[in-house]
Coordinates of all heavy atoms in Angstrom, one line a residue:
Chain B
H81 N 9.1 0.3 4.3 CA 7.9 0.3 3.5 C 8.2 0.8 2.1 O 7.6 0.3 1.1 CB 6.9 1.2 4.1 CG 5.5 1.1 3.5 ND1 4.8 -0.1 3.6 CD2 4.8 1.9 2.8 CE1 3.7 0.0 2.9 NE2 3.6 1.2 2.4
R82 N 9.1 1.7 2.0 CA 9.5 2.2 0.7 C 10.0 1.1 -0.2 O 9.7 0.9 -1.4 CB 10.5 3.3 0.8 CG 10.7 4.1 -0.4 CD 11.6 5.3 -0.1 NE 13.0 4.9 -0.3 CZ 13.7 5.0 -1.4 NH1 13.2 5.5 -2.4 NH2 15.0 4.6 -1.4
E83 N 10.8 0.2 0.4 CA 11.4 -0.9 -0.3 C 10.3 -1.8 -0.8 O 10.3 -2.4 -1.9 CB 12.5 -1.6 0.5 CG 13.8 -0.8 0.4 CD 14.8 -1.4 1.3 OE1 14.8 -2.6 1.6 OE2 15.6 -0.5 1.8
R84 N 9.3 -2.1 0.1 CA 8.3 -3.0 -0.3 C 7.5 -2.4 -1.5 O 7.1 -3.1 -2.4 CB 7.3 -3.2 0.9 CG 7.7 -4.4 1.7 CD 6.5 -4.7 2.6 NE 6.2 -3.7 3.6 CZ 6.8 -3.7 4.8 NH1 7.7 -4.6 5.2 NH2 6.5 -2.7 5.7
L85 N 7.3 -1.1 -1.4 CA 6.6 -0.4 -2.5 C 7.4 -0.6 -3.8 O 6.9 -0.8 -4.9 CB 6.4 1.1 -2.2 CG 5.3 1.4 -1.3 CD1 5.2 2.9 -1.0 CD2 4.0 0.8 -1.8
L86 N 8.7 -0.4 -3.7 CA 9.5 -0.5 -4.9 C 9.4 -1.9 -5.5 O 9.3 -2.1 -6.7 CB 11.0 -0.2 -4.6 CG 11.3 1.2 -4.4 CD1 12.7 1.4 -3.8 CD2 11.2 2.0 -5.7
A87 N 9.4 -2.9 -4.6 CA 9.3 -4.3 -5.1 C 7.9 -4.5 -5.7 O 7.8 -5.1 -6.8 CB 9.4 -5.3 -3.9
K88 N 6.9 -3.9 -5.1 CA 5.6 -4.0 -5.7 C 5.5 -3.4 -7.1 O 4.9 -3.9 -8.0 CB 4.6 -3.3 -4.7 CG 3.2 -3.7 -4.9 CD 2.4 -3.2 -3.7 CE 0.9 -3.4 -3.9 NZ 0.2 -2.8 -2.8
R89 N 6.2 -2.3 -7.1 CA 6.2 -1.6 -8.4 C 6.8 -2.4 -9.5 O 6.4 -2.5 -10.6 CB 6.8 -0.2 -8.3 CG 6.5 0.6 -9.5 CD 7.1 2.0 -9.4 NE 8.6 1.9 -9.5 CZ 9.4 2.9 -9.7 NH1 8.8 4.1 -10.0 NH2 10.7 2.8 -9.7
S90 N 7.9 -3.0 -9.1 CA 8.6 -3.8 -10.2 C 7.8 -5.0 -10.5 O 7.9 -5.5 -11.7 CB 10.0 -4.1 -9.7 OG 10.0 -5.1 -8.8
Q91 N 7.0 -5.5 -9.6 CA 6.1 -6.6 -10.0 C 5.1 -6.1 -11.0 O 4.7 -6.8 -11.9 CB 5.4 -7.1 -8.7 CG 6.2 -8.1 -7.9 CD 5.4 -9.3 -7.4 OE1 4.3 -9.5 -7.8 NE2 6.0 -10.1 -6.6
I92 N 4.6 -4.9 -10.7 CA 3.6 -4.4 -11.6 C 4.2 -4.2 -13.0 O 3.6 -4.5 -14.0 CB 3.1 -3.0 -11.1 CG1 2.1 -3.3 -9.9 CG2 2.3 -2.3 -12.2 CD1 1.5 -2.1 -9.4
D93 N 5.5 -3.8 -13.0 CA 6.2 -3.6 -14.3 C 6.2 -4.9 -15.0 O 6.0 -5.0 -16.2 CB 7.6 -3.1 -14.0 CG 7.6 -1.6 -13.7 OD1 6.5 -1.0 -13.9 OD2 8.6 -1.1 -13.2
T94 N 6.5 -5.9 -14.2 CA 6.6 -7.3 -14.9 C 5.2 -7.6 -15.4 O 5.1 -8.2 -16.6 CB 7.0 -8.3 -13.8 OG1 8.2 -7.9 -13.2 CG2 7.2 -9.7 -14.5
M95 N 4.2 -7.4 -14.7 CA 2.8 -7.7 -15.2 C 2.6 -6.9 -16.5 O 2.1 -7.5 -17.4 CB 1.8 -7.2 -14.2 CG 1.8 -8.0 -12.9 SD 0.4 -7.4 -11.9 CE 0.8 -8.0 -10.3
L96 N 3.0 -5.6 -16.5 CA 2.7 -4.8 -17.6 C 3.5 -5.4 -18.8 O 2.9 -5.5 -19.9 CB 3.2 -3.4 -17.4 CG 2.3 -2.6 -16.5 CD1 3.0 -1.2 -16.1 CD2 1.0 -2.3 -17.3
E97 N 4.7 -5.8 -18.6 CA 5.4 -6.4 -19.7 C 4.7 -7.7 -20.2 O 4.5 -7.8 -21.4 CB 6.8 -6.9 -19.2 CG 7.8 -5.7 -19.1 CD 9.0 -6.1 -18.3 OE1 9.4 -7.3 -18.4 OE2 9.5 -5.3 -17.6
T98 N 4.3 -8.5 -19.3 CA 3.7 -9.7 -19.7 C 2.4 -9.5 -20.4 O 2.1 -10.1 -21.4 CB 3.4 -10.6 -18.4 OG1 4.5 -10.6 -17.6 CG2 2.9 -12.0 -18.8
I99 N 1.6 -8.5 -19.9 CA 0.4 -8.2 -20.6 C 0.6 -7.7 -22.0 O 0.0 -8.1 -23.0 CB -0.4 -7.1 -19.8 CG1 -1.0 -7.8 -18.6 CG2 -1.4 -6.5 -20.7 CD1 -2.0 -6.8 -17.9
Q100 N 1.6 -6.8 -22.1 CA 1.9 -6.2 -23.4 C 2.3 -7.3 -24.4 O 1.8 -7.3 -25.5 CB 3.1 -5.2 -23.2 CG 3.3 -4.4 -24.4 CD 2.1 -3.4 -24.7 OE1 1.3 -3.2 -23.8 NE2 2.0 -3.0 -26.0
K101 N 3.1 -8.2 -23.9 CA 3.5 -9.3 -24.8 C 2.3 -10.1 -25.2 O 2.2 -10.5 -26.3 CB 4.6 -10.1 -24.1 CG 5.8 -9.4 -23.7 CD 6.9 -9.5 -24.7 CE 7.9 -8.4 -24.5 NZ 8.7 -8.7 -23.3
T102 N 1.5 -10.3 -24.2 CA 0.4 -11.2 -24.5 C -0.6 -10.6 -25.5 O -1.1 -11.2 -26.4 CB -0.4 -11.5 -23.2 OG1 0.5 -12.1 -22.3 CG2 -1.5 -12.5 -23.5
I103 N -0.8 -9.3 -25.3 CA -1.6 -8.6 -26.3 C -1.1 -8.7 -27.7 O -1.8 -9.1 -28.6 CB -1.7 -7.1 -25.9 CG1 -2.5 -6.9 -24.6 CG2 -2.3 -6.3 -27.0 CD1 -2.6 -5.5 -24.1
Q104 N 0.2 -8.5 -27.8 CA 0.8 -8.6 -29.1 C 0.7 -10.0 -29.6 O 0.5 -10.3 -30.8 CB 2.2 -8.1 -29.0 CG 2.2 -6.6 -28.8 CD 3.6 -6.0 -28.8 OE1 4.6 -6.7 -28.6 NE2 3.7 -4.7 -28.8
H105 N 1.0 -10.9 -28.7 CA 0.9 -12.3 -29.1 C -0.5 -12.7 -29.6 O -0.6 -13.3 -30.7 CB 1.2 -13.2 -27.9 CG 1.0 -14.6 -28.1 ND1 1.8 -15.4 -29.0 CD2 0.1 -15.5 -27.6 CE1 1.3 -16.6 -28.9 NE2 0.3 -16.7 -28.1
T106 N -1.5 -12.2 -28.9 CA -2.8 -12.5 -29.3 C -3.1 -11.9 -30.7 O -3.9 -12.4 -31.5 CB -3.8 -12.0 -28.3 OG1 -3.4 -12.4 -27.0 CG2 -5.2 -12.5 -28.5
K107 N -2.6 -10.8 -30.9 CA -2.8 -10.2 -32.1 C -1.9 -10.8 -33.2 O -2.0 -10.4 -34.4 CB -2.4 -8.7 -32.0 CG -3.5 -7.9 -31.3 CD -3.1 -6.4 -31.3 CE -4.2 -5.6 -30.6 NZ -3.7 -4.2 -30.4

Side-chain angles (χ1 to χ4, degrees):
Chain B
H81 192 64
R82 197 173 82 93
E83 278 170 33
R84 270 196 293 271
L85 282 179
L86 284 171
K88 200 166 169 184
R89 194 179 65 163
S90 74
Q91 279 222 7
I92 288 183
D93 284 346
T94 308
M95 292 184 198
L96 284 170
E97 282 165 34
T98 311
I99 285 188
Q100 190 65 21
K101 298 269 164 64
T102 305
I103 289 174
Q104 292 181 345
H105 171 67
T106 310
K107 285 181 176 169

